[in-house]
Amino acid sequence: MSFDLPLIFALLMGAAILAYVVLDGYDLGVGMLMPAATDAEQDVMVASIGPFWDANETWLVLGVGILLIAFPAAHGYILGALYLPVAAMLTGLMLRGVSFELRVKAQGWHAELWNWLFWFGSFLASFAQGFMLGRYLTGFQAGWGYALFSTLVGAALCGGYVLLGATWLVLRTEGALQKKSIAWAKWGLAWVALGVALVSLATPLASEIVRDKWFDFPGTLGLMLLPLATLAAWAWVWRSLGRSDWKPFAGTVSIFVLAFAGLAYSVFPFVVIGWLTIRDAAAHPSALKVTLAGVALVLPFLIGYTAFAYRVFRGKAKAGLYGH
């Protein structure tokens, strides 16, 4: 039996990136919400993500690793074109890691400084990821208009992560902090609605390839189900806030999954829009077969560990686990 190995690896890479966006997205969102909380609330917020945030980034490593091994030609081109925003993202992630550990050891104004650096690292990493997505969608074309579009996508992704973080806190906290999180989630929903609307309007203008795929009637009539489903998920999150602890987070994850499905439809079969398809960029079949065996061995352990960690540390977060 023969397998379409480039397609399999494209699906695996997409699944890894989606897992990263959802899992690390909520803890980046929590980091961006830190300045709006009191010192005691910040300790609870950090405790809510403490057991998970480091492992969440493993999915990014998996996604980039698949890009490197399965699509080496695309890997070199993409990371070369995105050198500066990738450096900014890594700087933000490193700031988060250092701040996360040192904030619990610092005293006085030093502790406040590390809290602000945790916020800044979260914002920088989030914005850089959105900026990279915008550059990717435009085929890495130069010009102030394309840079403005990438900035818009970066701001929209920050809003999405804030919504993820706020609904995560609704799920994981209680009392006054949970009430604050509901208010943050409503603000995040408004941010996401505006961001999705603006990005949806601007994307066909920024990318001719995406425009052709979106408006290829009547073949794209089925695509209209995605924005309708996204609107329904948005309304479900709004309606469930204050009525359920888990539904807002589940609905927000649904919004991200639907947005990712729309993105996948827009760019497939390209791995570099307008230049390299997944088959053009794929490594030799023999290399893909060996890599697939390795992924098949590692992936169940990664999924199992993730599920185990979330099961062990389920329930409401309490201050003290990562506090002073």
Side-chain angles (χ1 to χ4, degrees), residues 110-177:
H110 292 95
E112 186 66 21
L113 173 63
W114 288 116
N115 282 332
W116 277 102
L117 287 175
F118 187 68
W119 166 83
F120 179 71
S122 301
F123 166 75
L124 182 61
S126 302
F127 181 81
Q129 289 173 17
F131 189 88
M132 286 189 286
L133 175 59
R135 296 287 296 129
Y136 177 78
L137 287 173
T138 60
F140 309 109
Q141 298 185 65
W144 68 267
Y146 296 114
L148 181 62
F149 172 75
S150 299
T151 301
L152 172 63
V153 178
L157 187 62
C158 286
Y161 282 172
V162 164
L163 177 59
L164 265 175
T167 54
W168 172 258
L169 291 173
V170 171
L171 173 65
R172 297 278 291 166
T173 64
E174 53 193 352
L177 179 54

Side-chain angles (χ1 to χ4, degrees), residues 2-304:
S2 61
F3 297 97
D4 189 342
L5 291 174
L7 178 60
I8 291 173
F9 275 98
L11 292 173
L12 287 171
M13 182 174 66
I17 293 173
L18 177 60
Y20 169 77
V21 166
V22 170
L23 296 178
D24 206 38
Y26 77 72
D27 66 59
L28 287 167
V30 170
M32 286 188 282
L33 289 168
M34 290 278 283
T38 65
D39 290 344
E41 290 170 342
Q42 287 176 349
D43 288 340
V44 178
M45 293 165 70
V46 169
S48 77
I49 64 174
F52 315 113
W53 74 276
D54 207 12
N56 290 342
E57 294 175 359
T58 307
W59 293 98
L60 177 62
V61 176
L62 177 62
V64 175
I66 291 175
L67 177 64
L68 169 62
I69 297 173
F71 307 106
H75 176 273
Y77 185 85
I78 291 173
L79 292 192
L82 297 176
Y83 180 82
L84 289 179
V86 166
M89 180 189 72
L90 294 177
T91 300
L93 293 177
M94 287 188 290
L95 271 177
R96 275 170 50 84
V98 172
S99 303
F100 190 90
E101 299 298 334
L102 293 185
R103 66 176 295 279
V104 303
K105 300 176 177 65
Q107 301 292 329
W109 68 269
H110 292 95
E112 186 66 21
L113 173 63
W114 288 116
N115 282 332
W116 277 102
L117 287 175
F118 187 68
W119 166 83
F120 179 71
S122 301
F123 166 75
L124 182 61
S126 302
F127 181 81
Q129 289 173 17
F131 189 88
M132 286 189 286
L133 175 59
R135 296 287 296 129
Y136 177 78
L137 287 173
T138 60
F140 309 109
Q141 298 185 65
W144 68 267
Y146 296 114
L148 181 62
F149 172 75
S150 299
T151 301
L152 172 63
V153 178
L157 187 62
C158 286
Y161 282 172
V162 164
L163 177 59
L164 265 175
T167 54
W168 172 258
L169 291 173
V170 171
L171 173 65
R172 297 278 291 166
T173 64
E174 53 193 352
L177 179 54
Q178 188 185 57
K179 291 180 180 178
K180 275 189 177 181
S181 301
I182 292 172
W184 293 335
K186 290 181 178 179
W187 180 76
L189 275 170
W191 191 348
V192 166
L194 178 62
V196 169
L198 291 177
V199 170
S200 298
L201 290 173
T203 300
L205 301 176
S207 174
E208 181 180 353
I209 290 175
V210 174
R211 180 170 66 248
D212 291 343
K213 293 201 71 171
W214 281 16
F215 297 103
D216 182 22
F217 296 108
T220 56
L221 288 177
L223 184 64
M224 298 299 103
L225 294 176
L226 288 178
L228 293 175
T230 303
L231 181 60
W234 187 97
W236 193 58
V237 173
W238 182 275
R239 180 175 175 79
S240 62
L241 284 169
R243 300 183 180 186
S244 170
D245 287 355
W246 67 269
K247 288 181 180 179
F249 183 71
T252 303
V253 171
S254 299
I255 292 174
F256 272 81
V257 171
L258 290 166
F260 194 83
L263 173 64
Y265 175 86
S266 300
V267 303
F268 186 82
F270 290 104
V271 67
V272 177
I273 293 182
W275 183 47
L276 283 174
T277 67
I278 59 173
R279 290 174 178 81
D280 295 331
H284 191 273
S286 60
L288 293 179
K289 289 177 182 178
V290 173
T291 304
L292 184 60
V295 172
L297 179 64
V298 171
L299 194 57
F301 286 98
L302 181 55
I303 295 172

